[in-house]
Amino acid sequence: KAGVTQTPRYLIKTRGQQVTLSCSPISGHRSVSWYQQTPGQGLQFLFEYFSETQRNKGNFPGRFSGRQFSNSRSEMNVSTLELGDSALYLCASSKNTAGGYGYTFGSGTRLTVV
Amino acid sequence: DQQVKQNSPSLSVQEGRISILNCDYTNSMFDYFLWYKKYPAEGPTFLISISSIKDKNEDGRFTVFLNKSAKHLSLHIVPSQPGDSAVYFCAASGGAAGNKLTFGGGTRVLVKP
């Protein structure tokens, strides 16, 4: 079966611009979470969506937002990009939301802000 | 406040020997712990997990041990293989954190042939 698909794989943006990243979860998975990986901060939780509702949110500024559609696909948006937003953005999906077990990660979107 | 820590950034081991990766946590409300393996330019891959009601879980070459009183867990890989060379992350969830995964900083493992 198809895994978690993230698009695009690579992206270069200029400071001040905005960006939208997309995540298609595994079929049947209703929970989608987003994580940011940077060399300095490691892997940090951004937010989690389940059945189109945000269930949990990490400690990121309001420039970071997300949404989930009725087909469980999710998008995250970063507005007014800063150099520090350069990171690997990972999406993970799960059939349920119990304990983080069963999360499958996508290959990520590498965002570079110049 | 780093709630999950992996104090060894790297580990080098000979093929066939045991790899032991360590992880410490501070939040006693965590009730589920997981290990992920990550190759460059790929997402983390789930390896093994353990619930806080257990102290050991085994899956093939991978065994995870949990010491709740010490707030410490470890991953044993026996025997280590060159394909195990990757970055390993421990993660925790539960309590007020809900289902979000709190990750450690990772340990880079190099298995030498």
Side-chain angles (χ1 to χ4, degrees):
Chain A
K1 64 182 180 185
V4 178
T5 304
Q6 292 188 246
T7 56
R9 286 296 310 273
Y10 302 93
L11 205 49
I12 299 176
K13 288 286 188 179
T14 305
R15 268 183 304 174
Q17 287 187 311
Q18 76 159 18
V19 67
T20 299
L21 311 182
S22 180
C23 172
S24 293
I26 290 173
S27 178
H29 284 194
R30 295 166 64 192
S31 169
V32 173
S33 296
W34 289 88
Y35 290 83
Q36 181 199 64
Q37 185 183 22
T38 58
Q41 299 297 319
L43 275 156
Q44 291 190 292
F45 172 79
L46 280 156
F47 21 67
E48 178 201 4
Y49 287 89
F50 183 78
S51 293
E52 302 178 65
T53 301
Q54 188 180 87
R55 291 172 62 93
N56 207 342
K57 190 176 190 305
N59 295 324
F60 279 81
R63 300 185 297 107
F64 291 81
S65 63
R67 58 179 175 168
Q68 186 180 34
F69 302 96
S70 58
N71 62 358
S72 294
R73 191 178 70 85
S74 177
E75 288 181 348
M76 67 162 282
N77 184 277
V78 188
S79 62
T80 320
L81 283 166
E82 300 177 359
L83 294 179
D85 297 332
S86 295
L88 179 67
Y89 289 89
L90 292 159
C91 167
S93 78
S94 168
K95 192 174 286 187
N96 60 45
T97 60
Y101 175 73
Y103 275 122
T104 300
F105 282 83
S107 295
T109 294
R110 170 72 63 184
L111 171 65
T112 302
V113 182
V114 297
Chain B
D1 171 27
Q2 236 185 320
Q3 297 189 64
V4 179
K5 280 186 182 178
Q6 293 175 254
N7 290 319
S8 299
S10 64
L11 172 70
S12 182
V13 65
Q14 209 66 35
E15 181 180 5
R17 306 295 292 267
I18 184 172
S19 294
I20 300 176
L21 290 79
N22 295 301
C23 179
D24 297 297
Y25 62 95
T26 57
N27 187 342
S28 57
M29 298 303 290
F30 285 143
D31 56 13
Y32 214 79
F33 303 90
L34 308 92
W35 284 94
Y36 283 86
K37 174 181 178 181
K38 188 179 185 300
Y39 294 115
E42 292 184 16
T45 302
F46 171 76
L47 275 176
I48 191 168
S49 63
I50 188 167
S51 159
S52 61
I53 62 173
K54 295 187 173 182
D55 54 20
K56 177 182 174 182
N57 190 25
E58 205 168 341
D59 185 0
R61 296 186 298 115
F62 303 93
T63 303
V64 56
F65 297 91
L66 175 62
N67 182 335
K68 279 185 294 182
S69 60
K71 295 192 180 68
H72 176 85
L73 63 153
S74 62
L75 174 68
H76 292 207
I77 307 173
V78 183
S80 299
Q81 300 172 353
D84 295 332
S85 296
V87 178
Y88 290 78
F89 291 93
C90 72
S93 69
N99 297 311
K100 88 174 197 187
L101 294 173
T102 301
F103 284 90
T107 297
R108 184 177 301 277
V109 173
L110 175 62
V111 180
K112 298 178 181 177

